[in-house]
Amino acid sequence: MSAEKTNQSWGGRFSEPVDAFVARFTASVDFDKRLYRHDIMGSIAHATMLEQAGVLSIAERDAIIDGLTQIQAEIEAGQFDWRVDLEDVHMNIEARLTDRIGITGKKLHTGRSRNDQVATDIRLWLRDEIDAIIKEITRLQEGLLEQAEQHADVIMPGFTHLQTAQPVSFGHHLLAWFEMLSRDHERLVDCRKRVNRMPLGSAALAGTTYPIQREITCRLLGFEAIGGNSLDGVSDRDFAIEFCAAASLAMMHLSRFSEELVLWTSAQFNFIELPDRFCTGSSIMPQKKNPDVPELVRGKSGRVFGALTGLLTLMKGQPLAYNKDNQEDKEPLFDAADTLRDSLRAFADMVPALKPRVEVMREAARRGFSTATDLADYLVRKGLPFRDCHEIVGHAVKYGVATGKDLAEMSLDELRQFSDQIGDDVFAVLTLEGSVNARDHIGGTAPAQVRAAVARGKALLAAR
Ligand code: ARG
């Protein structure tokens, strides 16, 4: 059976065509065709290098580059006929090249294997994705800084155990999200360095007998380094796992953020207003305005954690070097990147449009004895040991619960039942402003510190 008849580049060794179902089962073109641009980029660099190495003539190189450029245009015009019998993106493009330019097309694969080709393509593709994701992170962070600056003086209850704990600036709360995203950004920048190493030249697994010059392809493709071992080059998928780990952390952050937005938009909290364009209604309950975007992002985090677990499991049993198992790396990786990018985009669009309900937040902070710690700290300053102060304030809170009064609503006489150290100056401490302003150090919630943190954040983004 000729290679023509089986339509496979490895047809020579086979005496019957591959079973039709097996052809579909083993094919990856349906999902790996999205690598076409990076596949062509890698092939052009490879052909350019082969000419400089004396393996291709100038005319051959030019015919190949021309052909590939036209194939890219065909794909982008939606005129490319993707064939499942050609298995994957690599063989589809190579076969089309030979259609177009004849036998010179068959020389492109000299000194190369699909094993190093696909590893190169994924890295080039992921590098671009990381750059796009990083842009969305920065856009979201800019939105958070704007909001934090504008709302540094807005006071809300801070929570531990989802119980009112201490008053905080709404801006301060938003900047907690900013910090998490800064770490996500750092992780992706770091991950990109290990994505950006070149496997091309590893060939099938052992390298190649042609006088290839890997420095040339490395430079042409903008890789930072050349992979140092051909066996590792074709089989390493650490970079994809690492990306999914960084993406999982980022999605976990967005999911927590989502959870707060869902809580805060509920009638029970009513802390913020989400513009209608980020919500949907109910087909049965006319009063509903559902926070679909945060809910969906919270839900989508599971897909990305799944991709991470999937890729770790994919790799754990594989002997060196390339195994067909690796074809299963793409769908989870693509899905993780798409999910993270879209979720960040939705948040970056949504965050500048969040509106705090200032009075509701303030009222919630005034309830729930959020300044109890401030009263204890006040008594410490009067010379009492902290544990005793804690106890005293505990009694005052108990009294407040029974009488329905917050600490700031009690009279001086009422407060003095619990300690004669309490004086008239206590009321400044018990106000919400007094409480937040007192936490006046780097990382604290005093509005002045929030503004300083915004300034640091802006400098950080400007240096990117
Ligand atoms: N479609 C394959 C993949 O995604 C390309 C490499 C195949 N190599 C091979 N020797 N079958 O991994």
Side-chain angles (χ1 to χ4, degrees):
M1 184 81 48
S2 73
E4 254 80 350
K5 281 245 183 76
T6 58
N7 275 326
Q8 295 287 355
S9 52
W10 31 256
R13 189 220 183 284
F14 284 72
S15 50
E16 61 172 348
V18 72
D19 177 87
F21 171 71
V22 171
R24 264 184 290 128
F25 184 68
T26 55
S28 54
V29 64
D30 283 347
F31 51 85
D32 68 16
K33 63 183 173 202
R34 75 183 280 181
L35 295 173
Y36 78 88
R37 208 161 48 79
H38 301 94
D39 191 70
I40 288 173
M41 190 189 293
S43 290
I44 288 177
H46 182 64
T48 306
M49 181 280 290
L50 286 180
E51 186 277 316
Q52 290 187 43
V55 177
L56 290 180
S57 72
I58 290 180
E60 287 168 335
R61 177 202 65 190
D62 290 349
I64 288 174
I65 295 179
D66 240 42
L68 288 171
T69 309
Q70 284 165 24
I71 288 171
Q72 175 158 345
E74 259 176 37
I75 296 172
E76 285 168 1
Q79 286 159 359
F80 191 90
D81 179 23
W82 295 102
R83 284 171 45 186
V84 176
D85 59 311
L86 290 173
E87 200 177 317
D88 56 24
V89 61
H90 323 293
M91 294 207 288
N92 264 273
I93 290 175
E94 194 189 311
R96 180 72 185 125
L97 182 66
T98 303
D99 272 2
R100 292 192 72 112
I101 68 168
I103 119 162
T104 303
K106 296 186 180 178
K107 294 193 174 182
L108 169 62
H109 213 50
T110 313
R112 183 176 83 167
S113 149
R114 278 185 296 153
N115 298 351
D116 61 341
Q117 187 179 357
V118 70
T120 302
D121 292 1
I122 310 169
R123 287 172 184 266
L124 290 172
W125 175 84
L126 185 55
R127 189 176 73 184
D128 280 352
E129 286 303 305
I130 290 175
D131 291 343
I133 288 168
I134 279 176
K135 283 207 185 98
E136 294 295 347
I137 291 182
T138 299
R139 204 158 68 81
L140 172 52
Q141 288 190 291
E142 282 164 358
L144 286 167
L145 288 180
E146 285 309 312
Q147 288 276 21
E149 186 165 43
Q150 207 182 326
H151 299 118
D153 294 305
V154 172
I155 297 182
M156 65 179 287
F159 299 92
T160 60
H161 314 268
L162 204 56
Q163 310 288 319
T164 298
Q166 292 169 353
V168 294
S169 148
F170 178 54
H172 192 56
H173 194 116
L174 293 170
L175 290 183
W177 300 115
F178 181 89
E179 291 287 318
M180 292 180 220
L181 288 160
S182 294
R183 295 195 293 276
D184 292 328
H185 177 269
E186 269 175 43
R187 264 186 287 273
L188 285 167
V189 167
D190 197 55
C191 167
R192 190 189 191 280
K193 294 180 199 151
R194 282 173 294 280
V195 170
N196 204 17
R197 291 179 191 162
M198 189 183 76
L200 192 61
S202 303
L205 76 164
T208 176
T209 56
Y210 298 94
I212 58 167
Q213 292 173 30
R214 300 184 72 195
E215 300 77 6
I216 295 176
T217 36
C218 180
R219 181 168 38 74
L220 289 172
L221 294 171
F223 280 112
E224 285 169 49
I226 299 171
N229 181 291
S230 61
L231 292 163
D232 182 49
V234 293
S235 70
D236 168 28
R237 294 295 182 275
D238 295 6
F239 66 95
I241 296 175
E242 206 181 328
F243 170 78
C244 286
S248 291
L249 280 162
M251 285 302 295
M252 178 273 284
H253 290 152
L254 291 182
S255 182
R256 295 183 65 192
F257 197 166
S258 297
E259 173 62 13
E260 294 205 329
L261 294 179
V262 170
L263 282 173
W264 291 355
T265 50
S266 70
Q268 287 67 26
F269 272 82
N270 200 28
F271 279 6
I272 57 163
E273 200 182 332
L274 263 188
D276 289 355
R277 64 182 183 279
F278 297 104
C279 301
T280 60
S282 157
S283 53
I284 170 165
M285 297 167 285
Q287 86 282 14
K288 293 287 287 257
K289 176 173 158 186
N290 296 327
D292 281 36
V293 169
E295 286 178 284
L296 207 47
V297 168
R298 189 177 59 189
K300 280 180 186 289
S301 61
R303 304 165 71 116
V304 180
F305 307 166
L308 173 60
T309 311
L311 288 183
L312 283 167
T313 312
L314 174 67
M315 294 312 295
K316 74 176 273 293
Q318 286 195 48
L320 287 171
Y322 177 87
N323 302 282
K324 182 75 169 179
D325 312 42
N326 283 342
Q327 184 165 289
E328 287 291 302
D329 62 356
K330 282 164 217 61
E331 286 163 293
L333 180 64
F334 292 165
D335 192 62
D338 291 346
T339 303
L340 177 58
R341 191 170 164 177
D342 289 351
S343 302
L344 285 165
R345 179 187 165 166
F347 264 70
D349 290 345
M350 187 174 63
V351 159
L354 297 180
K355 280 202 190 70
R357 291 205 169 84
V358 176
E359 272 317 309
V360 178
M361 284 185 171
R362 196 181 165 80
E363 190 52 27
R366 253 170 34 74
R367 304 274 129 210
F369 307 97
S370 66
T371 56
T373 317
D374 298 272
L375 179 55
D377 290 343
Y378 167 89
L379 289 168
V380 168
R381 286 196 295 277
K382 300 280 173 181
L384 275 67
F386 181 78
R387 273 293 150 231
D388 293 345
C389 303
H390 188 284
E391 164 103 27
I392 290 166
V393 179
H395 288 303
V397 168
K398 198 169 171 190
Y399 172 81
V401 171
T403 56
K405 287 182 186 173
D406 200 77
L407 295 174
E409 293 166 340
M410 295 177 194
S411 69
L412 185 57
D413 284 343
E414 278 175 306
L415 285 168
R416 283 178 61 89
Q417 301 172 71
F418 307 104
S419 167
D420 56 13
Q421 297 297 310
I422 297 178
D424 227 356
D425 54 348
V426 75
F427 293 104
V429 161
L430 294 181
T431 63
L432 297 176
E433 276 71 19
S435 175
V436 293
N437 282 326
R439 288 163 173 79
D440 190 17
H441 52 76
I442 295 175
T445 196
Q449 292 294 341
V450 173
R451 278 185 271 272
V454 167
R456 286 199 301 276
K458 285 187 175 170
L460 187 78
L461 298 191
R464 276 186 189 164

